[in-house]
Structure formats: structure tokens, C-alpha cells
Amino acid sequence: MSNPILTLNHVTRTFAVKRQTIKAVDDVSLAIREGEIVCLVGESGCGKTTTGKMIAGVLPVSSGEILFRNQNIANLRGDDRKQYRLGVQMIHQDPYASLNPTHTIADIIAAPLRHHGFTRGDAATRERVRELLARVDLTPPDDYLEKFPHQLSGGQRQRVSIARALTVAPSFIIADEAVSMVDVSIRISLLNTLTKLKDAMGLAVLFITHDLALAKYFAWEGRIGVMYLGRLVELAPARDLVERPQHPYTQVLLSAIPEADPEVTRRKKHIELRSMDVPSLLRLPTGCAFHPRCPQFIGAVCEQNVPGLLEANGARVACHLVNRKT
Ligand code: SF4
């Protein structure tokens, strides 16, 4: 098994809101290996994007540490910091906002190549831009070089964003809702491109999404982490999590995914929550934060004690009910 490229140790991120302190991310520990895919899923406000931003160095941690190749990113200086900055690249949700509308596709991709000295001379840069466009399936590349972002579809723009992220030869990609703004028909094709790149370049990928069906498709050979109100509540190999979900929240999310066959969807048992209201981070429930909604609530222990993320049948699960059985 390869070494972790990235490790989160008890990472917490707080924000001041209305004179109170909220924990957007609370005590998250996670190690991602070289070449591995890990999906973080959960409802909006669960802390998955904040986690991605801390890994990318956009936000500092409030406590805990993030290690890139065993070095705390908060302490990196000089060349080590540059290696981390280039090694970890983020693909954002909105390809409309992340590409400069006044630059051609060739210029957008050439800029980081030149800036970081990955190519020398116009001819070599142009050739590398062509290679990168072909890698993200924008072919033939010459059809795209002189176009502006507004002349491309949403899916094509996102492919340009991916090509730009690849210019600096990263080893770790954070894709934050990277396919959620493109048409449903394009999503699978973009995910297939990301998978192909991951395999060809040995990239580790942290894929952040609210859509467990997408996570299931993309991370089938990797792992899925489910977040709820800032905490990681289940982390497991994707197949195990989908076929044998252990945390009640994961079970609810899976029960809500429509199947390709409408008849299977009709027969599927939909799990009802005790409450549809998502608690505010300003007024987090005591004990297990899921307890006001949990269909398997078991009383005082759920109301009073925060469950730890413990080993359970090859996964890690934060639930008193599961932890009692294992
Ligand atoms: Fe439900 Fe209790 Fe488990 Fe929380 S700890 S998920 S409330 S059973």
C-alpha cells in the first residue's frame, strides 16, 4: 500500500458568526494515499468544501494539522512550499468564473507553463498546450487554441480548467463540485476523463460532492467519506459503503438515490428521517449531531455523548449503535 500523500490529523476550522463561534469542520482525521480517489459527500454546510479549502491552503486550520508528504503545510517555506503549492491543485465548481474571459484558451493554459518554467520558448509551450488539451479530450486541440471561454460549452470550459490544473504536474487534485454545473449528460463523460487522468498520471483525487450517486460512480475503486454538520461520520471503501452502509445517515442518503431501473426505485425502501429540519451550526444538537433526525436513535447515549469515529467492519463509523455491535 502506498504512503499517504496527504494526512489530516484532528483538523478543526471555526468561524465567528453573529458573535458566536461555529465549527464548520470538527476534528476530521483522514489519510489519502498516492493515486487514491476519496470522495467527501454530504449536504450543503457539512464542511466538505471548507475541508477542501484547508487542504488547498486557501484557509488555515484552526487546530490540528494537515501534512503533505509528511510535512505540516503550515510550516512549509521556500522550495518545499512551492512543491506543495504546485503539487495540490483545485478544480472549482464554476468554470464560468474561474477562466479569464478576455484570454484565449491557448493563453490561459500557457500562462502557468511559462510562469513556473515548465516550458521554454513559444513553440514548446504551444506544443505542451496542445498535449494538455488532448489529455482532457478537447480534440483536435487546434480547434480550441484561439477560442475564448464564452465560445465553449460548460463541459468544455471545465475541461479547460482541468487542463490548466495539470500544467504544473500536480500529484493531488481537489475537485470541488467540479461537475455539478454542467449538464447531466456531460457529467459522466467528465468523470471518465478525470478517472483516465488519475490512472495515467497517478493522481490522488479528493472529489467533493453533495451527490452520493456521483460519488458512487466516481469512487467505486476508492473510498467515500460522509460528512454531517462538520464531522466525518463514516469512511469506507466505496463498495462497502454502498452495499453495506453502517451509519444511519449514510443509509438515509443511499435510500434516496434513484436507480436506473424505475421498478427497482419503486421497490426500494425509502428511509424516513425523524425530522426534516437540518440543525444550524449555531445551535448544534448535543451528543450525536444527527440524533434529532436519526431513524435509529437509541436514547440518552445519542443525546449526551459525541460518538467517536471508530473501526467497524473494515470502515470507520461514528455511531453509538454501530460501535456497540462491533
Ligand atoms: Fe443515530 Fe445514535 Fe448513531 Fe447518532 S449515535 S447516528 S443518533 S444511533
Side-chain angles (χ1 to χ4, degrees):
M1 193 175 284
S2 57
N3 294 326
I5 183 169
L6 202 115
T7 308
L8 280 73
N9 287 329
H10 303 289
V11 168
T12 294
R13 172 68 205 195
T14 59
F15 293 101
V17 177
K18 297 182 183 167
R19 297 189 186 172
Q20 290 187 47
T21 301
I22 61 157
K23 281 185 181 170
V25 174
D26 187 5
D27 196 23
V28 167
S29 293
L30 169 70
I32 301 174
R33 295 185 294 276
E34 305 264 4
E36 188 186 22
I37 289 182
V38 173
C39 284
L40 280 185
V41 298
E43 294 162 305
S44 128
C46 71
K48 56 193 189 305
T49 291
T50 304
T51 302
K53 285 182 175 171
M54 288 190 287
I55 292 171
V58 178
L59 281 175
V61 302
S62 300
S63 63
E65 60 178 11
I66 297 177
L67 311 180
F68 177 67
R69 300 195 192 285
N70 295 323
Q71 289 186 286
N72 188 336
I73 62 172
N75 302 332
L76 293 175
R77 300 286 178 270
D79 218 38
D80 288 340
R81 183 149 191 86
K82 185 177 173 189
Q83 291 307 317
Y84 155 68
R85 283 288 187 196
L86 298 181
V88 177
Q89 291 293 307
M90 196 154 184
I91 300 166
H92 296 277
Q93 175 178 13
D94 186 358
Y96 299 81
S98 62
L99 301 177
N100 188 327
T102 65
H103 289 185
T104 63
I105 303 308
D107 288 341
I108 287 169
I109 297 176
L113 288 172
R114 290 199 189 97
H115 180 76
H116 296 289
F118 280 91
T119 53
R120 287 192 198 287
D122 289 346
T125 301
R126 192 92 168 165
E127 192 46 39
R128 182 67 182 139
V129 171
R130 282 198 187 91
E131 280 171 26
L132 288 165
L133 289 176
R135 282 219 141 170
V136 296
D137 299 321
L138 287 173
T139 53
D142 286 345
D143 284 2
Y144 298 91
L145 291 174
E146 298 311 322
K147 288 204 163 121
F148 290 88
H150 74 270
Q151 295 175 295
L152 305 184
S153 69
Q156 288 169 335
R157 273 190 284 246
Q158 198 55 295
R159 289 179 191 279
V160 173
S161 300
I162 297 169
R164 185 179 54 183
L166 298 180
T167 53
V168 292
S171 43
F172 191 96
I173 294 277
I174 303 161
D176 183 8
E177 300 283 8
V179 300
S180 60
M181 282 188 72
V182 299
D183 290 346
V184 174
S185 57
I186 308 293
R187 282 183 198 163
I188 295 302
S189 143
L190 264 172
L191 291 182
N192 290 343
T193 298
L194 270 176
T195 305
K196 186 183 75 175
L197 291 170
K198 174 202 134 359
D199 292 342
M201 302 172 72
L203 295 169
V205 181
L206 178 68
F207 186 78
I208 295 170
T209 179
H210 64 280
D211 186 339
L212 187 50
L214 273 186
K216 177 178 154 186
Y217 180 82
F218 186 57
W220 197 240
E221 303 296 332
R223 288 182 296 159
I224 296 177
V226 178
M227 292 188 73
Y228 185 75
L229 291 178
R231 294 181 74 93
L232 202 49
V233 297
E234 182 160 5
L235 178 68
R239 290 163 195 259
D240 293 352
L241 186 129
V242 169
E243 287 165 7
R244 291 180 298 283
Q246 298 188 71
H247 195 282
Y249 179 57
T250 313
Q251 292 169 1
V252 169
L253 291 180
L254 281 163
S255 83
I257 297 180
E259 300 294 333
D261 180 346
E263 184 54 28
V264 177
T265 302
R266 200 181 59 75
R267 280 190 271 113
K268 197 168 170 177
K269 187 168 165 265
H270 181 74
I271 303 174
E272 295 292 335
L273 288 160
R274 293 206 299 156
S275 160
M276 294 306 288
D277 295 332
V278 183
S280 161
L281 286 170
L282 285 166
R283 284 178 299 282
L284 266 187
T286 55
C288 170
F290 188 52
H291 87 253
R293 305 173 77 198
C294 179
Q296 298 186 52
F297 172 73
I298 50 171
V301 66
C302 300
E303 289 172 332
Q304 291 166 9
N305 301 326
V306 178
L309 189 70
L310 304 180
E311 285 290 328
N313 309 310
R316 284 163 63 204
V317 186
C319 171
H320 296 303
L321 183 64
V322 174
N323 298 340
R324 251 182 209 183
K325 292 180 193 160
T326 51

